[in-house]
Amino acid sequence: MAATFRRRLRRGAASTAVAALVLAALTASQSPAGAKNTAAKGPEPTPADTPIDGGAAYYTDLPPLNSPVPPRGSNDPRPDGDGIVTGPAQAGIPATVLAAYKKAESEIRAADPGCRLPWQLLAGIGKVESGQARGGAVDAEGTTLQPILGPQLNGHGFARITDTDGGRYDGDRTHDRAVGPMQFIPSTWSQGGPAGTGWGADGNGDGKKDPNNVFDAALAAGTYLCAGGRNLSVQQDLDSAVLGYNHSEEYLRTVLSWFAFYRTGSYEVPDGKGVLPAHRPGANGTRDHANGSTQGRTGPGRGTGDTAGNRPHPGRTKPNGPARPGGSGDGHTGSHTPGGDHTPGTPQTPGGKPTPTPKPPTKPTTPTSPTALQQAGDQDLATTAGTDFTTKPQVRAVDAAGKPVAGVPVRFTLPGTTDARFPGGATTAIVTTGKDGLATAPTLHAGDKTGDFTLRATAVGRTAPAVDIKATVKAKPAPKVDLLTRTSDKELTATAGHAFAEDAVEIKATYQGKIAAGVPITATMITDDPDHPVQNDKGPYFKDPQATGDNKDKPLRTLTGLTTDADGLLKLPKIYTDTHPGTFLLRLTTPNGTTLTLKLKIAAPAKTA
């Protein structure tokens, strides 16, 4: 497709049709279950409303009019399996880039199913921002072979954003530049987001957040698009998300055009073989890897990027002329490529005749507003520490008549008093109600913290009262033990006023002859009453390892919090004695009642002459 610069979607019915087509496709295909070194004076703060790409330049090429058809597969009956593409080459997406978009969609769908993020939206943004990482010029890990940099954001035609990363990402120590396949500026990558920790993400699991890596950048872009409880099947949320990426109506229309195009079909091409949004390297539309120039891209206050001979001059813009074959009614020139792909201008059929303007689909109706949320399913959720809740939190949205309401985004929020988490370590999850009015949260995993907590469900952007769902995390059942033994038969002796030897007492726990690891044990100094032994008030004792000040030497004759190790062994802390000689008893007890009683002999101190 010939590069098209500053080409705008036809306003009126055509632009309305694109927007409606995008919304209809999203709604139909998604389900509710289915985002420092600094200058001497320091950087100026980035404005709060700065878009993700900093308002930088972007490619304005529009997709061809004919729908893409993928090449034949390995079962092609034709000889040699030539894999001819019968649709436009622009529908081909480089393999690694395509994999990154689909992986991001899958991860976000699991963590935030209510967002309904389709990978084709990421592909539309990736096409407009970087031409799918310059046609898939990435390595096997998804990192660009050369930096993809936007223009210097120095206030000349773009936002003015002084350096925020010391050149770490963009190599520029004076001003920021948009970076990578999805064109994040450094400040949004590392400092943006509601928590101020950045939108950056680790999409390929290598432990790094790299805006030059298409897996990381795609996941970060998806996370941003879904932020704030957005439901991308709702046109207003979709528009808001895309405009947050770049505050331009033309940008919005361009992204939505590619989104709709990819929804009709796409196919995988080898890395490095994707169609670039330009005629050829070095011509208009190319992107300078070294210095971030943006020929052939457009942005606020920028020129069209045409060559000098075709560059428009102030005061000499021609008025719109009538539509003609190969051209558009807005005065821009369209063209045909050898493969028959038609660059957007006046819509044409293969025979060269104008195609009638399509009628926009019927606008989806706005969902009825719910008046209440009701807890559905089990009223109380419970599980043991370290396991998944078998029942998922679930609520139903209903109207004043008690009928279910579909399409309501519901936010499930965990309190700070629990370490239970949704997938990906999330403390919130947004799910949209289905036709039955039900919103079911993702699987909830209990942490190590036991006790009760309350999960809250809220209808996002609605006035319906929130619903509190009670949940309980129970302690793990203690391992069973049927035998406690001492690992040494050496007599336990000490002199009054002196401590027993270090590590004098070591025991081993077993169950049916096998090692019993992780067994809680309580150690108590008891009286020698055979019928009713109780804690002793004299003789040997422990010291509280947590005590401080005057209490750190205070005798402690019942010690809890002891646990056998992976080998079923436990060494007791140091045992001290007071001034009382004699034979004393130490009892070790497990939760299931298995005990071991040891004798501690304390001799009187030798008399001095």
Side-chain angles (χ1 to χ4, degrees):
M1 179 181 75
T4 306
F5 308 113
R6 302 290 300 173
R7 184 180 302 283
R8 301 178 180 272
L9 290 179
R10 300 285 297 277
R11 297 184 182 273
S15 60
T16 303
V18 170
L21 175 60
V22 170
L23 176 61
L26 263 173
T27 306
S29 65
Q30 303 289 335
S31 64
K36 232 174 200 186
N37 293 328
T38 62
K41 296 183 179 180
E44 297 177 7
T46 303
D49 62 347
T50 299
I52 290 296
D53 67 1
Y58 57 88
Y59 291 108
T60 58
D61 304 50
L62 293 177
L65 296 179
N66 47 327
S67 298
V69 178
R72 297 177 184 268
S74 58
N75 295 325
D76 185 355
R78 295 173 298 186
D80 302 326
D82 53 10
I84 295 175
V85 179
T86 58
Q90 289 85 349
I93 300 177
T96 300
V97 178
L98 180 60
Y101 295 151
K102 291 185 176 181
K103 187 173 187 294
E105 177 199 55
S106 177
E107 291 191 20
I108 292 174
R109 180 177 295 171
D112 187 3
C115 175
R116 301 183 181 182
L117 171 73
W119 67 261
Q120 292 92 341
L121 179 58
L122 294 174
I125 292 175
K127 180 69 174 181
V128 171
E129 291 288 353
S130 70
Q132 310 299 19
R134 297 296 297 145
V138 298
D139 62 20
E141 301 301 320
T143 302
T144 57
L145 300 179
Q146 293 180 315
I148 301 177
L149 301 176
Q152 189 181 68
L153 299 176
N154 54 15
H156 300 301
F158 301 98
R160 183 176 185 272
I161 303 177
T162 55
D163 178 53
T164 62
D165 67 333
R168 174 185 177 188
Y169 296 119
D170 56 12
D172 192 327
R173 294 184 177 224
T174 60
H175 295 84
D176 275 353
R177 297 168 180 256
V179 180
M182 303 303 280
Q183 290 289 279
F184 277 83
I185 57 174
S187 56
T188 56
W189 182 263
S190 59
Q191 302 168 22
T197 56
W199 292 108
D202 178 14
N204 61 353
D206 64 356
K208 299 183 294 184
K209 298 178 181 180
D210 183 3
N212 296 296
N213 182 279
V214 70
F215 287 95
D216 294 0
L219 181 58
T223 302
Y224 164 75
L225 293 169
C226 290
R230 292 190 186 108
N231 177 352
L232 298 180
S233 66
V234 176
Q235 188 69 52
Q236 182 178 357
D237 284 1
L238 176 64
D239 291 353
S240 174
V242 176
L243 286 172
Y245 219 96
N246 187 300
H247 301 340
S248 163
E249 291 292 337
E250 181 178 355
Y251 178 88
L252 171 65
R253 290 192 295 271
T254 306
V255 168
L256 293 187
S257 295
W258 281 106
F259 173 46
F261 176 72
Y262 288 132
R263 290 301 294 252
T264 63
S266 62
Y267 56 89
E268 178 184 303
V269 298
D271 289 344
K273 300 296 183 181
V275 175
L276 298 176
H279 288 296
R280 60 188 180 277
N284 294 335
T286 59
R287 183 142 205 165
D288 190 317
H289 294 281
N291 60 29
S293 67
T294 53
Q295 297 173 345
R297 290 165 59 91
T298 187
R302 303 276 306 175
T304 64
D306 286 346
T307 55
N310 297 323
R311 199 171 291 161
H313 300 279
R316 292 173 54 186
T317 304
K318 294 182 180 181
N320 293 345
R324 63 184 185 279
S328 67
D330 61 3
H332 293 289
T333 303
S335 63
H336 286 281
T337 57
D341 298 341
H342 179 67
T343 301
T346 300
Q348 295 188 0
T349 62
K353 297 180 180 180
T355 302
T357 301
K359 295 181 179 180
T362 302
K363 185 177 181 180
T365 57
T366 303
T368 303
S369 182
T371 58
L373 291 180
Q374 302 172 345
Q375 184 177 351
D378 294 345
Q379 293 302 303
D380 293 320
L381 309 179
T383 192
T384 56
T387 64
D388 290 339
F389 283 83
T390 55
T391 301
K392 298 178 180 179
Q394 187 180 63
V395 296
R396 175 180 281 107
V398 297
D399 61 16
K403 295 182 179 180
V405 180
V408 178
V410 176
R411 178 185 289 110
F412 294 89
T413 305
L414 292 166
T417 56
T418 180
D419 58 357
R421 293 293 183 266
F422 292 115
T427 57
T428 61
I430 298 179
V431 182
T432 303
T433 58
K435 293 181 179 179
D436 54 4
L438 290 175
T440 304
T443 300
L444 185 60
H445 181 79
D448 295 328
K449 195 170 185 178
T450 59
D452 299 331
F453 66 89
T454 301
L455 172 72
R456 173 158 290 189
T458 309
V460 179
R462 310 299 199 276
T463 58
V467 170
D468 289 338
I469 303 172
K470 295 182 179 179
T472 301
V473 178
K474 302 176 182 178
K476 294 180 181 179
K480 293 183 178 180
V481 179
D482 58 14
L483 182 63
L484 291 176
T485 58
R486 189 172 166 226
T487 58
S488 171
D489 57 3
K490 186 177 180 180
E491 190 174 47
L492 298 171
T493 61
T495 301
H498 297 274
F500 284 81
E502 293 278 0
D503 300 332
V505 181
E506 182 182 59
I507 62 171
K508 183 177 183 179
T510 57
Y511 180 70
Q512 296 181 350
K514 296 181 179 180
I515 291 172
V519 179
I521 292 179
T522 300
T524 307
M525 302 295 179
I526 61 172
T527 61
D528 59 0
D529 186 337
D531 296 324
H532 301 288
V534 295
Q535 178 180 294
N536 212 331
D537 59 359
K538 61 183 177 180
Y541 61 91
F542 301 103
K543 291 182 179 180
D544 187 351
Q546 306 299 325
T548 59
D550 294 339
N551 292 324
K552 66 180 181 179
D553 293 325
K554 185 177 180 180
L556 183 68
R557 292 189 167 90
T558 295
L559 188 60
T560 59
L562 304 171
T563 307
T564 59
D565 62 17
D567 297 319
L569 299 175
L570 169 66
K571 290 182 179 180
L572 294 187
K574 193 173 185 178
I575 301 174
Y576 300 86
T577 68
D578 58 15
T579 59
H580 295 86
T583 300
F584 298 87
L585 301 179
L586 167 61
R587 175 164 291 179
L588 305 169
T589 308
T590 68
N592 68 333
T594 301
T595 62
L596 172 64
T597 303
L598 303 176
K599 290 183 178 181
L600 305 177
K601 294 183 178 181
I602 301 175
K607 294 182 179 180
T608 59

